[in-house]
Amino acid sequence: MKRIAIAAALAAGLGFGSLAGVNAALPAPPAKSDAEKAAEAEKAAAAKAKEGEENARAQDRAVANYKKNKGIAEPKASPATTSGKKK
């Protein structure tokens, strides 16, 4: 009987502890200075420029591949269609 009571108390304690941990509020982050904001904006602008360059290169490769392969290949004529006979 004591084992069941201990197990129930332990389970209830773990349940309440996990519930409290899930609902806990984190402290607010410290305010950023103007220098940190400027550095972050510069970093974001550089990442955006790099992404734009990569996108342009990928588009250029796709266009070159399309021109090289001329898009969809024309089907070759079969001997029955080249004989000149009409159906």
Side-chain angles (χ1 to χ4, degrees), residues 24-75:
L26 296 174
K32 294 183 181 179
S33 68
D34 290 338
E36 289 175 337
K37 289 178 185 177
E40 192 172 296
E42 183 179 327
K43 192 176 188 182
K48 188 173 182 178
K50 181 180 178 185
E51 183 179 326
E53 291 173 7
E54 289 175 354
N55 190 18
R57 270 191 262 131
Q59 288 175 346
D60 290 343
R61 283 195 311 266
V63 168
N65 185 36
Y66 180 81
K67 287 181 179 178
K68 177 182 164 189
N69 296 321
K70 296 182 184 173
I72 300 172
E74 294 282 330

Side-chain angles (χ1 to χ4, degrees), residues 77-87:
S78 64
T81 59
T82 59
S83 64
K85 295 180 183 177
K86 293 186 177 182
K87 292 184 180 180

